[in-house]
Every structure is written in C-alpha cells, then in structure tokens.
Amino acid sequence: HSVYRHYGLSIQAWDSWLWDKVKELMVGIIVMSVVVWGLVAAIRKSPRRWWVSAWVGAVCFTAALVFLAPVVIDPLFNKFEPLAVHDAPLAQSLERVVDRAGLRIPVDRMYWMAASEKVRTMNAYVTGLGASKRVVVWDTTIANATTPEILFVFGHELGHYVLGHIPKQLGILAAIFLVL
C-alpha cells in the first residue's frame, strides 16, 4: 500500500486500507471454510473416488463465486450506484457498444463505482455471469476521460467477454483443479 501511495496511485487512508484487508480475510475464511467442508464431505462420502466429487464441487463453487462476486463481495469494498443517475448519456453510449458486441446488458445493470475514495487510477469493466453480469465504470474514469476514451477502455474490457475469456478461464481452472 505504501508503494501505491508513494506513486500517487492510491489515496486510501491506512485505516480504510486495513479495514479492507480485514474484510478480505473474513471473505477468505468463509470461502476456505466452505472449500474444506466440501472436501472433507467428499472424502467421507467416497474414500476411493473423493477426488471426482471434489473436482466437480470445485468447478461449481468457482462458477458460483464468479456469479456472486459482483452482487455479494464487491459491494463490501466499494460503493456502487446506477450509472444512469450519474451520467445517463454515457450509460446509453455503453448500451450501444454492448448491443454492437452482441451482448445483452441493460442500462439498469450498468453501475458507477466510487473509486475516487481509494485510488486515482481509471477503469471500466464487465463482471459477473448470467443474471449477475454488469458494467462498472469508475468515477475517476468519468471525471478524467472523455466519452470516446471511456468507450475505448470499456470496449477493451468488453472484448474479454466477447472472446469468451470467462468460460475459457473457468475451463483452465477446471483442468488445474483436476490435476490438483
């Protein structure tokens, strides 16, 4: 954190940063508790073939985390509000880009994020799966970039969805989990 503060990337106070680390730890403890519980249950249920159900469980649990993260985990760390409330024309422009990409993310699933409370960097991205899929634009991006620049950054991030990087990443993780 001190390196990010030294170079002016972060403006987050130490107490806020430490609180975020405590929340990360608590989320990690909960996630790992579920993982360990599932692993122990798989071993007890089938001592010879536990690894098959553990693998299936790991893949399903990872997909569930990708689905739930934008709705449950991300709001623990940042403030989100509807983008249309902060910049309706930008929300409409982003919706046109999403439509051109062949995806369906309505304006009511486009969010403004209060990043300026913690960082000076800029970003816009797509997150989630299925019904939790959403667009997020940081307030620092809106404040420091023009609409075409924001659409450019967002277009790059949207490309990850269009190119199927999320399913591919889940597939790679599934293969790693199988080997483990």
Side-chain angles (χ1 to χ4, degrees), residues 41-71:
I43 292 170
R44 283 185 179 164
K45 181 178 178 188
S46 177
R48 291 182 51 98
R49 302 227 189 270
W50 63 269
W51 58 273
V52 175
S53 48
W55 174 69
V56 170
V59 171
C60 293
F61 188 66
T62 301
L65 281 177
V66 172
F67 178 82
L68 290 174
V71 180

Side-chain angles (χ1 to χ4, degrees), residues 53-175:
S53 48
W55 174 69
V56 170
V59 171
C60 293
F61 188 66
T62 301
L65 281 177
V66 172
F67 178 82
L68 290 174
V71 180
V72 177
I73 298 171
D74 293 350
L76 296 173
F77 300 94
N78 294 293
K79 178 182 175 187
F80 295 88
E81 295 178 3
L83 180 60
V85 170
H86 291 273
D87 195 334
L90 176 61
Q92 295 299 322
S93 296
L94 291 171
E95 186 178 37
R96 285 194 296 276
V97 172
V98 168
D99 285 342
R100 278 190 223 135
L103 296 176
R104 179 76 183 116
I105 305 174
V107 172
D108 65 339
R109 283 201 270 149
M110 295 185 180
Y111 292 90
W112 168 94
M113 186 183 96
S116 61
E117 298 170 1
K118 298 180 181 183
V119 297
R120 290 191 175 138
T121 56
M122 300 183 286
N123 200 5
Y125 60 91
V126 181
T127 186
L129 275 177
S132 75
K133 192 182 324 177
R134 60 195 53 217
V135 171
V136 178
V137 181
W138 291 7
D139 63 340
T140 54
T141 307
I142 294 170
N144 297 304
T146 64
T147 298
E149 290 169 334
I150 295 169
L151 295 177
F152 179 82
V153 170
F154 174 71
H156 165 84
E157 297 299 330
L158 184 64
H160 293 297
Y161 261 79
V162 172
L163 295 173
H165 290 175
I166 300 295
K168 288 176 185 174
Q169 188 176 25
L170 287 173
I172 290 168
L173 283 172

